[in-house]
Amino acid sequence: NIESQYAFNAIQCLLFIIVSYTPAFLKKRVHLVIPDFMLIIFIIFCSCHFILGEIGQFFVTISWWDSMLHTISGSMIAILCFSIINLLNDNDKVHTLMSPIFIAIIVVCITVTIGVIWEVVEFFSDFFTGSNMQRSINSVTKEPFVGPKALYDTMKDLILDTVGATVIAVVGYFSMKNNKGTFDKWTITKESIKIEKTNPGESVEIIESKE
């Protein structure tokens, strides 16, 4: 009903606002450098999902809207995975020397796993609240799909998550293999910290961005 739809949209917008403060928190507390283009893509993606998709009903009126967002989300998660692996490689305590092909495979595996978890969330949401996140019911006629059509949306989402992750993994693989540094401006990095002594017994931290 319309009341539950409004409540669902309100919860999503609230989560969007909370998550929007995450980059500033990470930069201040953990000294991470998040590329501006990642923030821009994140804002555009969330706007396309919450405002246009849910409130504007683009998920219902435009057949390819959900497919586009799943492909983009797979790519974004893959870039995030590359960022985490790079941060671990820069950490002296967790220094891992992994080959480019192994890193690319790990990125795809993690991205697909997150996609599977999201489909599980959609399943439980539909089961407990009667929503239609898995698109097992025709959004217009309200008639339930039967047979393979009932699985179409879930399988399509997982395939597109894999496609988006694979494209980024291939680009990342060749970038690392050829040392071209294509991902240097794409991934999250950690600000370098230098310690300068001022007076005996005192020191000052100077944070310098790697960008």
Side-chain angles (χ1 to χ4, degrees), residues 12 16 19 37-54 59 65-77 118 161:
Q12 290 189 93
F16 178 35
V19 173
F37 98 96
M38 286 190 65
L39 299 177
I40 294 174
I41 293 178
F42 171 77
I43 293 174
I44 295 176
F45 177 84
C46 290
S47 299
C48 289
H49 177 83
F50 299 134
I51 301 175
L52 299 179
E54 296 289 352
F59 287 129
W65 194 257
D66 182 64
S67 300
M68 176 193 68
L69 292 183
H70 265 280
T71 306
I72 296 175
S73 67
S75 302
M76 293 174 61
I77 295 174
W118 175 250
D161 290 340

Side-chain angles (χ1 to χ4, degrees), residues 103-175:
I103 294 177
I105 294 174
I106 289 296
V107 166
V108 174
C109 290
I110 294 176
T111 303
V112 174
T113 301
I114 294 176
V116 171
I117 293 174
W118 175 250
E119 295 301 323
V120 173
V121 171
E122 288 187 347
F123 169 79
F124 280 111
S125 175
D126 292 349
F127 183 80
F128 288 110
T129 67
S131 60
N132 190 30
M133 294 185 69
Q134 289 186 301
R135 303 295 188 268
S136 59
I137 300 174
N138 190 302
S139 301
V140 179
T141 64
K142 306 302 179 183
E143 296 180 0
F145 294 120
V146 180
K149 288 186 177 180
L151 299 174
Y152 176 79
D153 183 77
T154 298
M155 295 307 302
K156 172 182 66 65
D157 292 345
L158 292 176
I159 292 172
L160 292 177
D161 290 340
T162 305
V163 170
T166 301
V167 171
I168 296 300
V170 170
V171 175
Y173 166 75
F174 285 106
S175 176

